[in-house]
Amino acid sequence: MTLKNAATAVRLNAHAPYSNFKVGAAIRAASGQIYVGCNVENVAYPEGTCAEAGAIAAMVAGGETRLTEVFVIADCPAPIPPCGGCRQKLAEFGAGDVTVTLATTDGGERTTTIGDLLPGKFDASHMDRS
Ligand code: THU
């Protein structure tokens, strides 16, 4: 199973009746295992969750905390840019040089890295006042 196939398949399970915008994400963890997630919206709109967050939650629930590759796909005119919150979530578990492939359902792809998606990220050093 490729990350692309996994993300494409899980996207179909997205619960997106409010935006009608289905997103699928697949991440490869350090063990090689693939974890997937899709967006899950709620009638109380702020309670919805992104596909990337779902995949990360599945990875952590599976006992892993490091990711080595990411693939995100949606039906959009240009490869989907992860939202700001998901960039921070990806940075929590992946190094700056981790490859992130952003894709459209009609074959468009853009490859970037976690570091390029979140320059100047907030990290633990910013809480160190000693
Ligand atoms: N969405 C994601 O799942 N990931 C992103 O990175 C961008 C946005 C979802 C959230 C919401 O369900 C829908 O796309 C429209 O914003």
Side-chain angles (χ1 to χ4, degrees):
M1 175 68 87
T2 63
L3 281 189
K4 180 176 184 173
N5 287 347
T8 300
V10 74
R11 176 182 163 273
L12 300 178
N13 296 337
H15 176 70
Y18 307 106
S19 70
N20 287 313
F21 186 69
K22 294 187 168 198
V23 185
I27 57 182
R28 190 180 306 285
S31 69
Q33 178 77 33
I34 293 175
Y35 296 93
V36 296
C38 54
N39 53 328
V40 180
E41 297 180 351
N42 192 282
V43 65
Y45 294 172
E47 300 304 325
T49 51
C50 286
E52 297 91 325
I56 288 169
M59 177 184 75
V60 174
E64 299 203 59
T65 54
R66 297 309 293 170
L67 58 84
T68 62
E69 201 180 344
V70 181
F71 195 102
V72 189
I73 188 165
D75 181 7
C76 44
I80 177 170
C83 78
C86 285
R87 293 175 194 220
Q88 186 73 40
K89 289 181 177 77
L90 291 170
E92 178 77 11
F93 299 104
D97 64 355
V98 163
T99 297
V100 181
T101 302
L102 308 170
T104 68
T105 51
D106 61 7
E109 280 192 15
R110 177 167 85 89
T111 296
T112 182
T113 63
I114 289 178
D116 283 347
L117 284 171
L118 193 62
K121 68 168 182 166
F122 175 75
D123 63 33
S125 70
H126 295 106
M127 296 187 289
D128 184 2
R129 292 179 49 86
S130 58

